[in-house]
Amino acid sequence: MDNFNFYNPVRVLFGEATIPQIGRELKNAGIKKVLLLAGGGSIKSNGVYDTAIKSLRRAGIEWVELWGVRPNPTLEHALKGIEICRSNGLESILAIGGGSVIDEAKSIAAGFYLDDLWEAFEGNEKINNALPLYTILTISATCSEMNMFAVLSNEEQKKKWAIRSEYIFPKISIIDPGVQMSLPWRQTLNGGIDAISHTMEFYFLGTNQEISISIDEAIINTLIKSIDMLQNDEKNYNARANLAWSSALALNGVSGASMRGGDWAVHNIEHSISVLYPEVAHAEGLSVIYPAWILYMQENNKSQFERWAKNIWGADSVEKGVEMLKNKYKSWGAPVSLRELHIAKEVIPDLATNAMIRGEFGILKKLNYNDVINILELAF
Amino acid sequence: MDNFNFYNPVRVLFGEATIPQIGRELKNAGIKKVLLLAGGGSIKSNGVYDTAIKSLRRAGIEWVELWGVRPNPTLEHALKGIEICRSNGLESILAIGGGSVIDEAKSIAAGFYLDDLWEAFEGNEKINNALPLYTILTISATCSEMNMFAVLSNEEQKKKWAIRSEYIFPKISIIDPGVQMSLPWRQTLNGGIDAISHTMEFYFLGTNQEISISIDEAIINTLIKSIDMLQNDEKNYNARANLAWSSALALNGVSGASMRGGDWAVHNIEHSISVLYPEVAHAEGLSVIYPAWILYMQENNKSQFERWAKNIWGADSVEKGVEMLKNKYKSWGAPVSLRELHIAKEVIPDLATNAMIRGEFGILKKLNYNDVINILELAF
């Protein structure tokens, strides 16, 4: 069992009617003025915005609003947030939304204390402080609500990079699964597949960490059951709640304990798709690439892939397991081939070239250009 | 799924050769003088003490030693620790040992800022601060290394009570499973049964929290597998490591998410045994009471007890599951009846009376005197 460090100081308030606690929590922390960061108007239509500002008002918290965070949050918009915080003397950020809003909020929180935020993404400036961040989650997927990562796009330079710093852990994240009941099926599904994929990035590195392996199986199986239930009944609170907490555990450190940081090759390959085809959702790319990657990689950790087939799918071979994974994804309406994403076979070399930009990648096996070509062809 | 709060800011450094990091961590935190708290001499014979003080010395950390923490740590000894911290200007506590040493260290850490430490245990004085606590764990069992509870005995008043405060979470806990290889089988076993019992206190309240239920199954199954392996090979590092991390997850908040705080009736009944029969180890009492409690309680959450029988033991009835639990405990050399603890049937009413001291208890069902009598008779 490999050494690991575990640290996650995020306080989670989980459950129904937790959003009205936000004002008091900010007040208890001595915060008087916050930036309220949000995406589109969905938090107005589902009532989350009203509940939150009512709580702020009651606690005597002042706020300035910044709307318009995009699904792939941009540097430009984050810089605007930093400027607002500085010019209004804001002491904290309250992010209301999903992973994109929280990622941008983390960037603003860190950028507040930096000379040049993007230099931190380039690895040239070190994050040594951040504004305290509070979040109200409206869609479970990325676990940004409970980790120290943030992804931002620099549109000018066509770069989509990440920062990682303990300073950007949220102080408190409020997760009320009830507010996710009004999400369109497609968003629920993409969030669920994202969380399954996160867990699998760790899981397939499994060897002798029985506890992490079996917890990862618990997470994956619960996610599958919850998505199944929500397909039939989008208002099922317990399914929403199980999906929400499983998604958090999928990338908050628990699923990855002693798992060498995860493999992340599938995420890297997917990234090359969504850069060239921005209309493809991240989760759609993942649901296409994962089955192919599993088939291609199985000999590199055979017993673990066989265990996956057996304990997740009740299947007696990896091929059978992959078949069942694809059938499950299809039954949910998720794509399982590049063809379904309307990506032509001729584009595969471009995708592979793009994936190799930072060199070989993957932990279970370092993937080179030919490996990626093979995986993409399997995914076709 | 019930609401819950999750918060656990303990930083865990897990794995081989992690103990030498202690000096640097203290130094990075700006700490110059610590109380080194320990129990008996086992940390001298297994090399942990030498490794730790070498690290302190290298980092320029001064320390004062207090030895002699007992298996049931006492108020008297903790007060001595507080006095040493105050008179030497110590800024932090380094606990080297198991749950007892860490519990006493937490008491000293909080007591440093209190007028009367015991008044905090009585609930009459509030804990508002504590010295920063660092731990080096030498036996996995109680999860004191990763939670905010501490139990202390007031011998004069014959009370054994607990405090709970976020201030007493350790800052950093170092868990090197390698140092547990030299533990006697009995201690390894008791630690494992303690952790299984903690997880079951949450598990049997399970209804619709699929994620926590299945994670608890992962923890229990991993603990059983690890103990089995260690019975055959006490030097098996991976078994030690899986046992160690599972024990931490058993009571650090993960196993109990949305589990209404746990039932704790079995612990309460056990407590009455170890108060009247101090020679009975806590884990021995638990291994005797748990099978009886399960048999007695099964109708109160039938499907969950049946799930336990199936998913832990592969059994098709609760009775069969209990049978297999008892056989497993017996095969490890743990007692499964009061008789084996040399407790006479005539004493049962005394035990029950003692258990009822603070009134009815339990969450799944409030147990009264007759219930406890019935459970104890089943355990006989």
Side-chain angles (χ1 to χ4, degrees):
Chain A
M1 195 159 153
D2 288 329
N3 284 16
F4 64 94
N5 291 357
F6 185 91
Y7 179 61
N8 193 318
V10 181
R11 185 187 300 273
V12 172
L13 311 181
F14 189 100
E16 294 177 285
T18 46
I19 297 173
Q21 298 177 37
I22 188 62
R24 195 183 55 215
E25 292 293 348
L26 288 163
K27 192 180 175 185
N28 287 346
I31 292 163
K32 292 186 187 67
K33 289 178 78 173
V34 304
L35 175 70
L36 190 164
L37 188 71
S42 66
I43 64 167
K44 286 206 169 157
S45 54
N46 65 15
V48 172
Y49 171 80
D50 284 341
T51 308
I53 63 163
K54 208 171 136 189
S55 173
L56 295 181
R57 204 170 279 138
R58 203 171 39 231
I61 309 288
E62 290 178 57
W63 72 93
V64 177
E65 297 181 10
L66 175 59
W67 292 79
V69 177
R70 296 223 314 256
N72 286 307
T74 65
L75 172 64
E76 199 187 349
H77 201 263
L79 293 177
K80 198 186 281 181
I82 294 170
E83 177 48 33
I84 293 173
C85 288
R86 286 177 181 162
S87 58
N88 291 276
L90 306 184
E91 305 153 309
S92 170
I93 303 174
L94 171 60
I96 308 184
S100 303
V101 175
I102 300 173
D103 277 14
E104 183 172 319
K106 287 172 171 172
S107 306
I108 296 171
F112 183 86
Y113 290 104
L114 293 170
D115 291 331
D116 183 337
L117 170 60
W118 191 253
E119 285 300 303
F121 282 84
E122 295 277 359
N124 299 330
E125 205 173 338
K126 200 162 180 286
I127 296 168
N128 284 317
N129 204 351
L131 291 176
L133 169 63
Y134 293 75
T135 87
I136 295 174
L137 185 70
T138 58
I139 172 165
S140 289
T142 67
C143 185
S144 189
E145 70 275 16
M146 213 180 168
N147 67 33
M148 56 168 168
F149 311 114
V151 175
L152 206 61
S153 292
N154 181 330
E155 293 190 311
E156 203 183 318
Q157 300 182 25
K158 299 213 181 311
K159 288 173 181 168
K160 184 179 169 184
W161 286 3
I163 48 172
R164 169 203 161 96
S165 164
E166 291 186 358
Y167 290 100
I168 60 174
F169 272 120
K171 296 293 175 205
I172 295 182
S173 282
I174 292 181
I175 306 177
D176 177 351
V179 307
Q180 301 191 29
M181 284 186 186
S182 54
L183 286 173
W185 165 245
R186 182 65 45 192
Q187 282 189 41
T188 299
L189 174 61
N190 285 350
I193 289 180
D194 200 21
I196 292 172
S197 303
H198 290 156
T199 316
M200 292 201 295
E201 293 287 12
F202 299 108
Y203 180 82
F204 289 114
L205 295 182
T207 52
N208 49 31
Q209 330 71 344
E210 179 63 29
I211 183 60
S212 296
I213 294 169
S214 53
I215 283 180
D216 289 355
E217 288 167 354
I219 294 171
I220 295 170
N221 279 323
T222 304
L223 287 166
I224 293 172
K225 279 185 204 176
S226 303
I227 299 168
D228 272 344
M229 290 166 86
L230 290 169
Q231 191 176 19
N232 295 319
D233 176 12
E234 64 184 7
K235 305 267 188 236
N236 185 321
Y237 178 82
N238 286 322
R240 290 278 174 204
N242 276 293
L243 180 69
W245 186 233
S246 299
S247 304
L249 293 169
L251 202 53
N252 75 349
V254 170
S255 66
S258 188
M259 288 295 198
R260 300 160 69 195
D263 189 86
W264 302 105
V266 174
H267 272 76
N268 206 44
I269 297 174
E270 192 293 313
H271 188 59
S272 73
I273 297 178
S274 51
V275 162
L276 295 178
Y277 297 87
E279 70 279 13
V280 175
H282 175 57
E284 292 175 329
L286 293 172
S287 73
V288 166
I289 302 300
Y290 239 118
W293 179 87
I294 293 170
L295 283 178
Y296 188 74
M297 294 296 292
Q298 57 176 300
E299 296 304 327
N300 295 286
N301 194 7
K302 190 75 180 183
S303 61
Q304 183 67 4
F305 283 89
E306 286 173 344
R307 177 174 173 156
W308 169 81
K310 179 158 174 285
N311 288 357
I312 307 296
W313 304 108
D316 56 10
S317 73
V318 179
E319 284 75 14
K320 191 75 197 300
V322 169
E323 192 63 31
M324 294 182 71
L325 169 69
K326 287 167 82 170
N327 288 340
K328 180 56 80 181
Y329 279 9
K330 276 189 229 171
S331 77
W332 291 337
V336 294
S337 67
L338 288 174
R339 214 183 299 245
E340 289 166 85
L341 298 178
H342 310 292
I343 294 176
K345 197 160 190 180
E346 294 67 39
V347 187
I348 286 179
D350 291 347
L351 292 173
T353 302
N354 196 291
M356 303 307 298
I357 275 181
R358 291 191 183 184
E360 300 190 350
F361 55 89
I363 300 294
L364 198 51
K365 174 186 192 298
K366 281 267 165 246
L367 300 182
N368 60 31
Y369 178 82
N370 286 334
D371 291 320
V372 177
I373 289 283
N374 289 334
I375 291 168
L376 286 166
E377 285 182 349
L378 276 170
F380 183 72
Chain B
M1 195 160 151
D2 288 329
N3 284 13
F4 64 94
N5 291 357
F6 185 92
Y7 179 61
N8 193 317
V10 181
R11 186 186 299 275
V12 173
L13 311 180
F14 188 101
E16 294 176 285
T18 45
I19 298 173
Q21 297 176 39
I22 188 62
R24 195 182 56 213
E25 293 292 347
L26 287 164
K27 192 180 176 185
N28 288 346
I31 291 163
K32 293 186 185 69
K33 286 178 81 173
V34 304
L35 175 71
L36 191 165
L37 187 72
S42 66
I43 64 168
K44 285 205 169 159
S45 55
N46 65 16
V48 172
Y49 171 81
D50 285 341
T51 308
I53 62 163
K54 209 171 136 188
S55 173
L56 295 180
R57 204 171 277 139
R58 203 171 40 229
I61 310 288
E62 291 177 56
W63 72 93
V64 177
E65 298 180 10
L66 174 59
W67 292 79
V69 178
R70 296 223 314 253
N72 286 307
T74 63
L75 172 65
E76 197 188 349
H77 201 262
L79 293 176
K80 197 186 282 183
I82 294 170
E83 176 47 34
I84 293 174
C85 288
R86 287 178 180 160
S87 57
N88 291 274
L90 306 184
E91 306 153 310
S92 169
I93 302 174
L94 171 59
I96 309 183
S100 303
V101 175
I102 300 174
D103 277 14
E104 182 172 319
K106 287 171 170 172
S107 307
I108 296 171
F112 183 85
Y113 290 103
L114 294 170
D115 290 331
D116 183 338
L117 170 60
W118 190 252
E119 285 299 304
F121 283 84
E122 295 277 358
N124 300 329
E125 203 172 343
K126 200 163 179 285
I127 297 169
N128 284 316
N129 204 352
L131 290 176
L133 168 63
Y134 293 76
T135 88
I136 296 173
L137 186 69
T138 58
I139 172 165
S140 289
T142 67
C143 185
S144 190
E145 69 275 17
M146 211 178 169
N147 66 32
M148 54 169 167
F149 312 114
V151 175
L152 206 62
S153 293
N154 182 330
E155 293 191 313
E156 203 183 319
Q157 300 182 25
K158 300 214 182 306
K159 290 175 180 169
K160 183 178 169 185
W161 287 3
I163 49 172
R164 169 205 161 97
S165 164
E166 292 188 356
Y167 291 100
I168 59 174
F169 272 121
K171 296 293 176 204
I172 296 182
S173 282
I174 292 180
I175 306 176
D176 177 350
V179 307
Q180 301 191 30
M181 284 186 187
S182 54
L183 286 173
W185 166 246
R186 183 62 48 191
Q187 282 191 42
T188 299
L189 173 61
N190 285 350
I193 288 180
D194 199 21
I196 291 172
S197 303
H198 290 156
T199 315
M200 294 201 294
E201 293 286 12
F202 299 107
Y203 180 84
F204 288 114
L205 296 182
T207 52
N208 50 31
Q209 335 66 345
E210 178 63 30
I211 182 61
S212 296
I213 295 170
S214 53
I215 283 179
D216 289 355
E217 288 167 354
I219 294 171
I220 295 170
N221 279 323
T222 304
L223 286 166
I224 294 171
K225 280 185 202 175
S226 303
I227 298 168
D228 273 343
M229 289 166 86
L230 290 169
Q231 191 175 20
N232 293 319
D233 176 12
E234 63 185 6
K235 305 268 187 232
N236 185 322
Y237 178 82
N238 287 322
R240 289 277 175 204
N242 276 295
L243 180 70
W245 186 234
S246 300
S247 304
L249 293 169
L251 203 51
N252 74 349
V254 170
S255 66
S258 188
M259 289 295 199
R260 301 160 68 195
D263 190 85
W264 302 106
V266 174
H267 272 75
N268 205 43
I269 298 175
E270 192 293 314
H271 188 59
S272 72
I273 297 177
S274 51
V275 163
L276 295 179
Y277 297 86
E279 69 280 13
V280 174
H282 175 57
E284 291 175 331
L286 293 173
S287 73
V288 166
I289 302 300
Y290 240 117
W293 180 88
I294 292 170
L295 282 178
Y296 187 74
M297 293 295 292
Q298 57 175 302
E299 296 304 327
N300 294 286
N301 193 6
K302 191 73 179 184
S303 62
Q304 184 67 5
F305 283 91
E306 286 173 343
R307 177 173 174 158
W308 170 81
K310 180 159 173 283
N311 289 357
I312 306 296
W313 304 108
D316 55 12
S317 74
V318 179
E319 284 74 14
K320 190 79 197 297
V322 169
E323 193 61 34
M324 293 181 72
L325 169 70
K326 287 167 80 170
N327 288 340
K328 179 59 80 182
Y329 279 9
K330 276 190 229 170
S331 77
W332 291 336
V336 293
S337 66
L338 288 174
R339 213 183 299 246
E340 289 165 85
L341 298 179
H342 309 293
I343 295 176
K345 199 162 188 181
E346 293 66 40
V347 186
I348 287 178
D350 291 346
L351 293 174
T353 303
N354 197 289
M356 301 309 297
I357 275 182
R358 292 190 182 186
E360 301 191 349
F361 55 90
I363 300 293
L364 197 51
K365 174 184 192 300
K366 283 264 165 250
L367 300 183
N368 60 30
Y369 178 83
N370 286 334
D371 292 320
V372 177
I373 290 282
N374 289 333
I375 291 168
L376 286 167
E377 284 181 351
L378 276 170
F380 183 73

